[in-house]
Amino acid sequence: MNAALSQRRADIATRIAARQEPVLTPAPGPAPRGLPVVAPAERKEGEVPRGHVDGVALRSLLLRRQFEELTLAVEQLQWGMEANPQDEHWMTDGILALGNGSPDSTALLDAWVEASPRSFAPYLARGTHWVSVGYLRRGARFSAETAAEEFSGMHEAFERAMPDLTRAWALHPKAVMAARPLIHMANALGDDEGRESAFARAMEQCPTCVDIRAVYLHSLAPRWGGSYEAMDTFAQAQSLARPELGYLRGFADFDRARDMKARDADDPGLALLDRALATGDYWEFRLARSQRLRRAKALEAALDESNRAVALRPARASVYFERARVHSSSRKWKPAGEDLLHALRLDATDSDGRAIRDHVVKGVIYDAWEAHKAGRREESLSLLELAGELSPGNPEVARRRAWVVTSARQEPGATAAEETPADGTADFRTVQQRDYALARERRFKEILPLWDAFLEHNPDHGLAYLERSGTHYHLRDLPSAMADLKKACDLGVNEGCARLRKLERARAKAKAR
């Protein structure tokens, strides 16, 4: 009995850890210049939000420990929202990107709080992070299928979140984004009073805010102990007071559709979502419609819906995960990989990303090899680089990349030094080809000047630093190799970050001996 109990506990611990393990640890990428908001495309007024926050750029400030700039950026997003509540989604989506529950964020958020203790911003992000961690620890199963250890982990995370969210709202009473994680906590805990209190305070501080109304309306669903009657009553009252909120009346049908199992052309869930969309063009309705159409193999229609969802809420990771799934189902591997990579930069622990990453990587590699066989060398290498970003350190990517790089035509009997003219150091692919050919002959000292010359004129080329790091490594210059990997990582190359972590662990292990 004890052995069985121990095994059960071990299985539960493994399950919890697996949910929190990032699919990949993305590189920070370049820091934003100015406010990390993407200007809107030319669209009709009211069709989509006016611009959107660049969550990847915002996270890059956190990952780079540029805490002063990060504090200012979040405060500017808050001030912009206060000046124009239409831009509420800037704060909503920005804080979700910073507080996505990724394990690499925990120490960084602690350091940010220490660096900016008088600003609401780091407390709000850290509190949101711990609520996300709580949900990851709990999992998405029904309560009866959820282990006591999963509930315990959730409660522990929520206990860490509450003081931060309380502190954030005290420091800045108009920071109504604090209400969102508070309501999510209240839902999970069955705390109706806490939910009502958070929503009432948010409405007092920002009577015109929309996102928080949607969060509250979701909390009235039967799955949280509410009812469709309660959802309809609230939505009707809101839309009567403000006709532009008419789409709230579609939330009950949207929630009903979530529980529908049929996936064919007669799917009743699609009819419910059509009825929801008749109340207003809301991104979650489009996202849900894409999911159902994809499962029914209506892929062109699903792509249209996922494109609309992206247009309506371009800062949310979920819309890119879904579109990646649609592209994957259609065997369109490049757009699938690009959408998946962007989504994982926003949320590296998402279950959708975990479910499809390996499949998409295999598809991208397949297309890369087909391009190589057809003589489209640059396309092949670009696809292999995409696969490498999605799966850093993947040995198959490395092998195929080496083959493609070194397979360009050359004169019979030519040596590596004769393959390209000396002035080829201005072109990345030329230097890369010479590097790989010389490396086969173990002539590493001859490679280094090629990359030095290239980087002198291209100091922000992340892949070049990645390649040069390998040369330093083979020359047994570990400090220089690690410096180049750090530079590649800082410039947004995921593989640079992965190799750097691997070398750091190896060096630490060697020192410990």
Side-chain angles (χ1 to χ4, degrees):
M1 180 64 71
N2 288 338
L5 181 60
S6 296
Q7 184 59 51
R8 177 183 175 277
R9 288 175 175 171
D11 291 343
I12 293 170
T14 299
R15 193 165 73 203
I16 295 172
R19 287 197 295 265
Q20 297 179 84
E21 181 69 21
V23 180
L24 63 82
T25 303
R33 297 179 179 178
L35 189 64
V37 171
V38 179
E42 289 299 323
R43 296 181 183 276
K44 294 179 182 179
E45 184 177 355
E47 184 178 354
V48 297
R50 301 182 310 155
H52 64 277
V53 67
D54 186 343
V56 174
L58 200 61
R59 276 195 64 79
S60 76
L61 292 173
L62 177 67
L63 295 173
R64 290 171 171 277
R65 293 178 172 263
Q66 294 181 224
F67 298 135
E68 184 176 347
E69 294 88 342
L70 180 56
T71 299
L72 179 60
V74 175
E75 289 179 345
Q76 285 181 312
L77 292 174
Q78 175 67 31
W79 298 333
M81 167 191 157
E82 292 174 19
N84 189 346
Q86 255 190 308
D87 296 333
E88 175 193 5
H89 57 94
W90 291 4
M91 271 298 287
T92 301
D93 299 340
I95 293 298
L96 286 176
L98 291 170
N100 61 20
S102 181
D104 68 334
S105 297
T106 302
L108 291 168
L109 290 167
D110 288 345
W112 183 20
V113 168
E114 186 175 348
S116 304
R118 296 183 180 179
S119 173
F120 75 95
Y123 295 103
L124 178 55
R126 190 170 69 175
T128 302
H129 164 77
W130 280 112
V131 173
S132 299
V133 170
Y135 271 89
L136 284 171
R137 290 178 177 176
R138 184 205 182 282
R141 298 183 180 186
F142 291 114
S143 295
E145 301 170 347
T146 303
E149 293 88 342
E150 291 170 310
F151 279 120
S152 177
M154 179 190 76
H155 282 283
E156 191 273 336
F158 286 176
E159 287 172 2
R160 298 184 70 169
M162 182 60 79
D164 281 342
L165 296 172
T166 303
R167 177 70 171 156
W169 221 347
L171 286 169
H172 198 93
K174 291 187 178 295
V176 297
M177 175 57 197
R180 182 186 187 90
L182 286 169
I183 290 174
H184 284 317
M185 277 199 298
N187 289 341
L189 298 172
D191 180 8
D192 292 348
E193 183 179 346
R195 178 194 66 205
E196 297 298 327
S197 174
F199 179 67
R201 184 176 173 187
M203 288 295 93
E204 179 183 338
Q205 294 295 335
C206 186
T208 60
C209 280
V210 174
D211 272 3
I212 195 61
R213 283 179 163 87
V215 173
Y216 177 74
L217 187 49
H218 279 305
S219 76
L220 298 178
R223 70 189 69 249
W224 299 117
S227 67
Y228 291 128
E229 292 75 18
M231 294 180 75
D232 287 335
T233 298
F234 175 80
Q236 187 67 20
Q238 296 296 312
S239 60
L240 284 174
R242 293 179 58 194
E244 69 273 19
L245 298 180
Y247 66 88
L248 295 178
R249 292 182 287 111
F251 273 55
D253 283 331
F254 163 71
D255 194 78
R256 288 186 181 98
R258 292 175 66 180
D259 292 331
M260 295 285 183
K261 301 297 183 184
R263 297 177 181 177
D264 55 24
D266 298 322
D267 183 355
L270 288 174
L272 286 168
L273 290 170
D274 287 343
R275 198 163 72 184
L277 281 164
T279 68
D281 197 7
Y282 188 63
W283 71 278
E284 284 190 284
F285 304 163
R286 293 291 181 187
L287 181 62
R289 202 165 189 279
S290 174
Q291 291 165 342
R292 301 193 79 87
L293 288 166
R294 169 174 52 80
R295 291 166 184 157
K297 309 300 182 185
L299 298 179
E300 288 188 15
L303 180 59
D304 181 62
E305 293 295 345
S306 62
N307 283 336
R308 291 179 183 227
V310 169
L312 288 165
R313 205 60 184 256
R316 284 296 180 90
S318 56
V319 297
Y320 296 98
F321 281 124
E322 169 57 21
R323 194 166 67 179
R325 278 187 173 274
V326 175
H327 285 312
S328 174
S329 297
S330 304
R331 300 181 65 83
K332 297 176 181 177
W333 300 116
K334 181 181 178 182
E338 290 171 340
D339 275 341
L340 178 58
L341 181 60
H342 182 72
L344 287 171
R345 289 189 183 278
L346 289 169
D347 187 353
T349 60
D350 188 272
S351 58
D352 275 339
R354 195 178 312 284
I356 68 171
R357 194 270 297 264
D358 291 347
H359 183 59
V360 170
V361 169
K362 288 178 181 178
V364 173
I365 293 173
Y366 173 82
D367 272 3
W369 200 243
E370 290 299 299
H372 164 64
K373 290 191 293 185
R376 301 192 303 273
R377 182 170 180 266
E378 181 58 35
E379 179 185 342
S380 177
L381 288 171
S382 294
L383 286 168
L384 288 169
E385 285 160 2
L386 174 60
E389 287 295 278
L390 286 165
S391 183
N394 187 309
E396 186 178 0
V397 172
R399 284 195 302 270
R400 291 182 184 263
R401 181 169 53 204
W403 182 272
V404 175
V405 167
T406 57
S407 64
R409 291 182 181 177
Q410 52 186 280
E411 293 299 321
T415 65
E418 297 169 336
E419 285 165 14
T420 53
D423 61 359
T425 54
D427 176 69
F428 174 73
R429 293 300 184 204
T430 300
V431 179
Q432 187 183 43
Q433 183 183 354
R434 296 174 72 183
D435 174 334
Y436 284 38
L438 286 164
R440 282 185 171 183
E441 300 172 16
R442 311 293 296 177
R443 294 161 63 181
F444 298 111
K445 289 184 179 179
E446 296 175 47
I447 299 173
L448 199 57
L450 302 177
W451 287 121
D452 290 344
F454 177 83
L455 284 166
E456 183 179 355
H457 299 287
N458 302 275
D460 294 325
H461 201 296
L463 287 173
Y465 286 103
L466 180 69
E467 296 288 10
R468 191 175 69 172
S469 72
T471 304
H472 283 306
Y473 182 82
H474 285 293
L475 291 171
R476 301 184 183 279
D477 184 354
L478 192 59
S480 294
M482 295 178 72
D484 274 355
L485 289 174
K486 185 178 186 308
K487 186 68 174 177
C489 180
D490 287 344
L491 289 169
V493 181
N494 293 344
E495 194 165 352
C497 303
R499 289 189 192 179
L500 179 60
R501 286 191 298 271
K502 186 176 180 179
L503 285 181
E504 287 175 337
R505 286 194 296 268
R507 189 166 69 169
K509 188 176 180 180
K511 286 183 177 180
R513 289 176 180 172

